Amino acid sequence: MTSSATKPRGVRARAAIAAKTLRTDRWWFAPLITVIGLSAWVAYATVRVFMHDFYWVEDYHYLTPFYSPCVTDRCLPEAAHFGRYLPGWWIIPDAAFTLPFLLLFRLTCYYYRKAYYRSFWLSPPACAVPDGHASYGGETRFPLIVQNSHRYFFYFAAIISLINTWDAILAFHSPEGFGFGLGNLILLGNVVMLWAYTISCHSCRHIIGGRLKNFSKHPVRYRAWGYVSWLNVRHMQLAWITLGTLALTDFYVMAVSAEWISDLRFIN
């Protein structure tokens, strides 16, 4: 046994506790819910992406965000707003130009990193609970070094949000011309939430005002930075809300396209 006299100065003895943690609350509940929630969403999204059907409502021009923009030669010409460039092999998503960047934007998001590090990797699962791994090498090697590219995926996410906005505008359509229904409200709500999540990103906040040395000389950017900072505090909530709005929007478009339900129309 090392006596206190032989310990280096500044080193404090650790309590001799056999238990892994003394926490008596349900610290495991949050990681468990995260695993269930993310797994369910990924399973649903994967099935829908490779279903290659029920993504377009011709009468009202509803296009699900999971298929936007539709770029394979399997896509209906009316739904391919930006052209069809890729072969229609089943393994290729119809939105192959956007889905990889959206996935990388979310995977490298600061909140989602915390979420899946704690839940799927148990690194660590909760405060005052030991890490599930013997060692930690940081985000300095492949594949975790890709996390440092989050700021670049933000630019792609902003462009994709513009595309989703365009889809929502085109959806104000009916066989008689202009039209407005429940699907439009769902598409618009999804776009608003996607923009809120995208611009609340930490990278966006840094781009707007992170490098400014004197806010008084940049009043417009300072005001924008303040708005983004207000959203940034709610980034975690927006991350989950947008998973919900994406699934709701896709399911509604699928249900109307498959004629399971009829769209509730307010105008035409």
Side-chain angles (χ1 to χ4, degrees), residues 59-105:
D59 286 346
Y60 311 127
H61 289 188
Y62 293 164
L63 177 64
T64 171
F66 286 178
Y67 286 73
S68 177
C70 210
V71 295
T72 66
D73 59 19
R74 181 180 46 245
C75 296
L76 295 172
E78 300 82 2
H81 301 151
F82 297 91
R84 299 182 292 176
Y85 309 101
L86 299 179
W89 302 336
W90 75 269
I91 196 65
I92 299 179
D94 293 294
F97 285 169
T98 55
L99 289 180
F101 294 108
L102 286 177
L103 177 62
L104 288 169
F105 178 61

Side-chain angles (χ1 to χ4, degrees), residues 35-63:
V35 168
I36 294 173
L38 290 180
S39 297
W41 194 91
V42 169
Y44 172 83
T46 302
V47 170
R48 282 294 291 135
V49 165
F50 292 104
M51 186 179 290
H52 305 302
D53 201 0
F54 305 133
Y55 57 88
W56 171 252
V57 179
E58 174 62 29
D59 286 346
Y60 311 127
H61 289 188
Y62 293 164
L63 177 64

Side-chain angles (χ1 to χ4, degrees), residues 182-197:
L182 178 59
N184 295 102
L185 292 178
I186 293 175
L187 286 167
L188 284 175
N190 179 59
V191 164
V192 170
M193 290 296 101
L194 287 178
W195 273 116
Y197 168 69

Side-chain angles (χ1 to χ4, degrees), residues 230-263:
W230 182 84
L231 282 173
N232 180 256
V233 177
R234 296 155 178 82
H235 195 55
M236 179 185 73
Q237 292 89 337
L238 290 168
W240 282 101
I241 289 172
T242 49
L243 291 184
T245 59
L246 281 167
L248 173 63
T249 304
D250 176 77
F251 185 83
Y252 187 83
V253 172
M254 176 176 62
V256 176
S257 177
E259 299 182 351
W260 300 339
I261 62 173
S262 298
D263 186 38

